[in-house]
Amino acid sequence: DAGVTQSPTHLIKTRGQQVTLRCSPKSGHDTVSWYQQALGQGPQFIFQYYEEEERQRGNFPDRFSGHQFPNYSSELNVNALLLGDSALYLCASSTLRMDTDPYEQYFGPGTRLTVT
Amino acid sequence: AQRVTQPEKLLSVFKGAPVELKCNYSYSGSPELFWYVQYSRQRLQLLLRHISRESIKGFTADLNKGETSFHLKKPFAQEEDSAMYYCALSPGGSEKLVFGKGTKLTVNP
């Protein structure tokens, strides 16, 4: 099991453009959370997806949207990119099954987004 | 408001010395508290959580509800402990994580 995988590794976009980041959860996991980590900061929660629905959302504008597919993989979309969106975007997977620990989140390596 | 504060951005100790990474939190309910670690060129990973009361790699952390603190301690630091450490809380009934800004620990030989 490769664990949580994310693509692409790096991305450079221009202000105003749109971007899509992808995440495949760890085998057996059904829940995906996205975090934004700006330079020198801790990760900030964007939203969480479970059963193809947005389950929780952090304090991020509507420009940030997501999707979860039937195979539990997920996408993060950001529209109308701003310079301030430059950050490392982390995906974390977990499971809400009753017999497991919902708090144990496994993180991917991240996608480094640079907006110029 | 939910907030995690790690007052030290950088912490440097010598091998064999005790180490304590400070974490204070702000939350009105009963949160779950965690320490995550990121070693060089590796992904963020869970080190320990307060509810399990485990000692992982010699590290322990005690939740002090009166002082709203969850400091991470190790009696004898090793060079391989050098890493970025993040304290995080999960509000009750939620699995999202609220992270502090992190402390970079360097253990010198």
Side-chain angles (χ1 to χ4, degrees), chain A residues 27-55:
Chain A
S27 177
H29 284 182
D30 51 21
T31 304
V32 172
S33 302
W34 287 93
Y35 293 82
Q36 180 195 65
Q37 186 173 20
L39 203 59
Q41 304 292 316
Q44 264 198 293
F45 177 77
I46 303 175
F47 42 53
Q48 183 185 76
Y49 276 83
Y50 172 67
E51 291 190 340
E52 302 179 51
E53 298 277 336
E54 184 182 287
R55 188 168 176 269

Short mmCIF file of all heavy atoms in Angstrom, two decimals, chain A residues 27-55:
data_model
loop_
_atom_site.label_atom_id
_atom_site.label_comp_id
_atom_site.label_asym_id
_atom_site.label_seq_id
_atom_site.Cartn_x
_atom_site.Cartn_y
_atom_site.Cartn_z
N SER A 27 -5.45 2.65 1.35
CA SER A 27 -6.36 1.51 1.16
C SER A 27 -7.19 1.27 2.42
O SER A 27 -6.66 1.24 3.54
CB SER A 27 -5.52 0.28 0.84
OG SER A 27 -6.34 -0.86 0.71
N GLY A 28 -8.50 1.11 2.24
CA GLY A 28 -9.39 0.87 3.37
C GLY A 28 -9.98 2.13 3.97
O GLY A 28 -10.86 2.05 4.83
N HIS A 29 -9.51 3.29 3.55
CA HIS A 29 -10.03 4.56 4.07
C HIS A 29 -11.13 5.10 3.17
O HIS A 29 -11.09 4.94 1.95
CB HIS A 29 -8.91 5.59 4.20
CG HIS A 29 -8.04 5.35 5.38
ND1 HIS A 29 -7.00 6.19 5.72
CD2 HIS A 29 -8.04 4.38 6.32
CE1 HIS A 29 -6.40 5.74 6.81
NE2 HIS A 29 -7.01 4.63 7.19
N ASP A 30 -12.11 5.78 3.79
CA ASP A 30 -13.24 6.28 3.03
C ASP A 30 -13.46 7.78 3.20
O ASP A 30 -14.39 8.35 2.63
CB ASP A 30 -14.52 5.55 3.46
CG ASP A 30 -14.74 5.56 4.98
OD1 ASP A 30 -14.15 6.43 5.66
OD2 ASP A 30 -15.48 4.70 5.47
N THR A 31 -12.61 8.41 3.97
CA THR A 31 -12.77 9.84 4.30
C THR A 31 -11.51 10.60 3.90
O THR A 31 -10.40 10.14 4.20
CB THR A 31 -13.03 10.02 5.80
OG1 THR A 31 -14.17 9.23 6.18
CG2 THR A 31 -13.31 11.47 6.15
N VAL A 32 -11.72 11.72 3.24
CA VAL A 32 -10.59 12.54 2.79
C VAL A 32 -10.74 13.96 3.31
O VAL A 32 -11.81 14.57 3.18
CB VAL A 32 -10.49 12.56 1.25
CG1 VAL A 32 -9.44 13.55 0.80
CG2 VAL A 32 -10.18 11.17 0.72
N SER A 33 -9.67 14.47 3.90
CA SER A 33 -9.64 15.86 4.38
C SER A 33 -8.54 16.60 3.63
O SER A 33 -7.51 16.02 3.30
CB SER A 33 -9.35 15.91 5.88
OG SER A 33 -10.31 15.20 6.61
N TRP A 34 -8.78 17.87 3.38
CA TRP A 34 -7.79 18.71 2.70
C TRP A 34 -7.34 19.82 3.64
O TRP A 34 -8.14 20.41 4.37
CB TRP A 34 -8.40 19.33 1.44
CG TRP A 34 -8.58 18.38 0.31
CD1 TRP A 34 -9.70 17.64 0.01
CD2 TRP A 34 -7.62 18.05 -0.71
NE1 TRP A 34 -9.47 16.88 -1.11
CE2 TRP A 34 -8.21 17.13 -1.58
CE3 TRP A 34 -6.30 18.47 -0.96
CZ2 TRP A 34 -7.55 16.60 -2.69
CZ3 TRP A 34 -5.64 17.95 -2.07
CH2 TRP A 34 -6.26 17.03 -2.91
N TYR A 35 -6.03 20.11 3.58
CA TYR A 35 -5.44 21.16 4.40
C TYR A 35 -4.56 22.05 3.52
O TYR A 35 -3.94 21.57 2.57
CB TYR A 35 -4.57 20.57 5.51
CG TYR A 35 -5.33 19.80 6.57
CD1 TYR A 35 -5.70 18.48 6.35
CD2 TYR A 35 -5.67 20.39 7.78
CE1 TYR A 35 -6.41 17.77 7.31
CE2 TYR A 35 -6.38 19.69 8.75
CZ TYR A 35 -6.74 18.38 8.50
OH TYR A 35 -7.43 17.67 9.46
N GLN A 36 -4.49 23.32 3.88
CA GLN A 36 -3.59 24.26 3.23
C GLN A 36 -2.48 24.62 4.22
O GLN A 36 -2.77 24.98 5.36
CB GLN A 36 -4.34 25.54 2.83
CG GLN A 36 -3.47 26.57 2.13
CD GLN A 36 -4.13 27.94 2.09
OE1 GLN A 36 -4.35 28.58 3.12
NE2 GLN A 36 -4.44 28.41 0.89
N GLN A 37 -1.23 24.51 3.80
CA GLN A 37 -0.12 24.87 4.67
C GLN A 37 0.71 25.96 4.02
O GLN A 37 1.49 25.69 3.10
CB GLN A 37 0.74 23.66 5.02
CG GLN A 37 1.82 23.97 6.04
CD GLN A 37 2.57 22.75 6.51
OE1 GLN A 37 2.59 21.72 5.85
NE2 GLN A 37 3.21 22.86 7.68
N ALA A 38 0.55 27.18 4.48
CA ALA A 38 1.36 28.29 3.99
C ALA A 38 2.74 28.19 4.62
O ALA A 38 2.93 27.54 5.66
CB ALA A 38 0.69 29.61 4.35
N LEU A 39 3.69 28.87 4.01
CA LEU A 39 5.08 28.80 4.48
C LEU A 39 5.19 29.28 5.93
O LEU A 39 4.69 30.34 6.28
CB LEU A 39 5.94 29.68 3.57
CG LEU A 39 7.44 29.36 3.53
CD1 LEU A 39 7.66 27.94 3.06
CD2 LEU A 39 8.15 30.34 2.62
N GLY A 40 5.80 28.46 6.78
CA GLY A 40 6.00 28.84 8.16
C GLY A 40 4.78 28.68 9.05
O GLY A 40 4.79 29.10 10.22
N GLN A 41 3.73 28.09 8.52
CA GLN A 41 2.48 27.92 9.28
C GLN A 41 2.15 26.44 9.42
O GLN A 41 2.69 25.60 8.71
CB GLN A 41 1.32 28.61 8.55
CG GLN A 41 1.54 30.07 8.26
CD GLN A 41 1.56 30.91 9.51
OE1 GLN A 41 0.73 30.73 10.41
NE2 GLN A 41 2.50 31.83 9.59
N GLY A 42 1.26 26.14 10.35
CA GLY A 42 0.75 24.79 10.43
C GLY A 42 -0.35 24.58 9.41
O GLY A 42 -0.89 25.55 8.86
N PRO A 43 -0.69 23.34 9.12
CA PRO A 43 -1.78 23.07 8.17
C PRO A 43 -3.10 23.65 8.66
O PRO A 43 -3.38 23.63 9.86
CB PRO A 43 -1.83 21.54 8.13
CG PRO A 43 -0.48 21.09 8.58
CD PRO A 43 -0.04 22.10 9.59
N GLN A 44 -3.88 24.19 7.72
CA GLN A 44 -5.22 24.72 8.03
C GLN A 44 -6.26 23.88 7.31
O GLN A 44 -6.17 23.67 6.09
CB GLN A 44 -5.32 26.16 7.52
CG GLN A 44 -5.04 27.21 8.57
CD GLN A 44 -5.57 28.56 8.13
OE1 GLN A 44 -5.07 29.14 7.17
NE2 GLN A 44 -6.58 29.07 8.80
N PHE A 45 -7.28 23.48 8.05
CA PHE A 45 -8.34 22.62 7.52
C PHE A 45 -9.18 23.36 6.50
O PHE A 45 -9.70 24.45 6.76
CB PHE A 45 -9.20 22.15 8.69
CG PHE A 45 -10.38 21.29 8.31
CD1 PHE A 45 -10.20 19.96 7.97
CD2 PHE A 45 -11.66 21.82 8.30
CE1 PHE A 45 -11.29 19.17 7.64
CE2 PHE A 45 -12.75 21.03 7.97
CZ PHE A 45 -12.56 19.70 7.64
N ILE A 46 -9.34 22.72 5.31
CA ILE A 46 -10.18 23.32 4.26
C ILE A 46 -11.56 22.68 4.31
O ILE A 46 -12.57 23.35 4.50
CB ILE A 46 -9.56 23.14 2.86
CG1 ILE A 46 -8.16 23.75 2.82
CG2 ILE A 46 -10.46 23.78 1.81
CD1 ILE A 46 -7.42 23.50 1.51
N PHE A 47 -11.62 21.36 4.08
CA PHE A 47 -12.88 20.61 4.18
C PHE A 47 -12.60 19.11 4.23
O PHE A 47 -11.47 18.66 4.04
CB PHE A 47 -13.87 20.93 3.05
CG PHE A 47 -13.30 21.07 1.67
CD1 PHE A 47 -12.51 20.08 1.11
CD2 PHE A 47 -13.59 22.20 0.91
CE1 PHE A 47 -12.00 20.21 -0.16
CE2 PHE A 47 -13.07 22.34 -0.37
CZ PHE A 47 -12.28 21.35 -0.90
N GLN A 48 -13.68 18.38 4.51
CA GLN A 48 -13.60 16.93 4.61
C GLN A 48 -14.73 16.31 3.80
O GLN A 48 -15.87 16.79 3.84
CB GLN A 48 -13.71 16.49 6.06
CG GLN A 48 -13.57 14.98 6.28
CD GLN A 48 -13.79 14.59 7.72
OE1 GLN A 48 -14.92 14.55 8.21
NE2 GLN A 48 -12.71 14.32 8.42
N TYR A 49 -14.42 15.22 3.10
CA TYR A 49 -15.42 14.52 2.31
C TYR A 49 -15.60 13.09 2.80
O TYR A 49 -14.63 12.39 3.12
CB TYR A 49 -15.02 14.50 0.83
CG TYR A 49 -15.43 15.75 0.13
CD1 TYR A 49 -14.64 16.90 0.20
CD2 TYR A 49 -16.63 15.82 -0.57
CE1 TYR A 49 -15.03 18.07 -0.41
CE2 TYR A 49 -17.03 17.00 -1.18
CZ TYR A 49 -16.23 18.11 -1.10
OH TYR A 49 -16.62 19.28 -1.69
N TYR A 50 -16.86 12.69 2.85
CA TYR A 50 -17.22 11.33 3.25
C TYR A 50 -18.47 10.95 2.47
O TYR A 50 -19.42 11.74 2.38
CB TYR A 50 -17.48 11.27 4.76
CG TYR A 50 -18.04 9.96 5.26
CD1 TYR A 50 -17.28 8.80 5.20
CD2 TYR A 50 -19.32 9.90 5.79
CE1 TYR A 50 -17.79 7.60 5.66
CE2 TYR A 50 -19.84 8.70 6.24
CZ TYR A 50 -19.07 7.54 6.18
OH TYR A 50 -19.58 6.35 6.63
N GLU A 51 -18.47 9.77 1.92
CA GLU A 51 -19.61 9.30 1.11
C GLU A 51 -19.99 10.33 0.05
O GLU A 51 -21.18 10.63 -0.15
CB GLU A 51 -20.80 8.97 2.01
CG GLU A 51 -20.55 7.73 2.87
CD GLU A 51 -21.80 7.25 3.59
OE1 GLU A 51 -22.74 8.04 3.75
OE2 GLU A 51 -21.81 6.06 3.99
N GLU A 52 -18.98 10.88 -0.58
CA GLU A 52 -19.12 11.80 -1.71
C GLU A 52 -19.80 13.12 -1.33
O GLU A 52 -20.21 13.89 -2.21
CB GLU A 52 -19.88 11.14 -2.87
CG GLU A 52 -19.20 9.86 -3.36
CD GLU A 52 -19.96 9.18 -4.49
OE1 GLU A 52 -20.31 9.86 -5.47
OE2 GLU A 52 -20.21 7.95 -4.37
N GLU A 53 -19.88 13.40 -0.03
CA GLU A 53 -20.50 14.65 0.43
C GLU A 53 -19.48 15.44 1.26
O GLU A 53 -18.67 14.86 1.98
CB GLU A 53 -21.72 14.36 1.30
CG GLU A 53 -22.85 13.61 0.62
CD GLU A 53 -23.74 14.54 -0.16
OE1 GLU A 53 -23.79 15.74 0.16
OE2 GLU A 53 -24.40 14.06 -1.11
N GLU A 54 -19.58 16.75 1.19
CA GLU A 54 -18.76 17.59 2.05
C GLU A 54 -19.33 17.51 3.46
O GLU A 54 -20.46 17.92 3.71
CB GLU A 54 -18.78 19.05 1.55
CG GLU A 54 -17.85 19.96 2.35
CD GLU A 54 -17.91 21.39 1.87
OE1 GLU A 54 -17.39 21.69 0.78
OE2 GLU A 54 -18.49 22.23 2.60
N ARG A 55 -18.51 17.02 4.37
CA ARG A 55 -19.00 16.74 5.72
C ARG A 55 -18.72 17.89 6.68
O ARG A 55 -19.52 18.17 7.56
CB ARG A 55 -18.33 15.46 6.22
CG ARG A 55 -18.86 14.92 7.51
CD ARG A 55 -18.35 13.51 7.77
NE ARG A 55 -18.79 13.03 9.07
CZ ARG A 55 -18.10 13.18 10.18
NH1 ARG A 55 -16.93 13.77 10.15
NH2 ARG A 55 -18.57 12.73 11.33
#
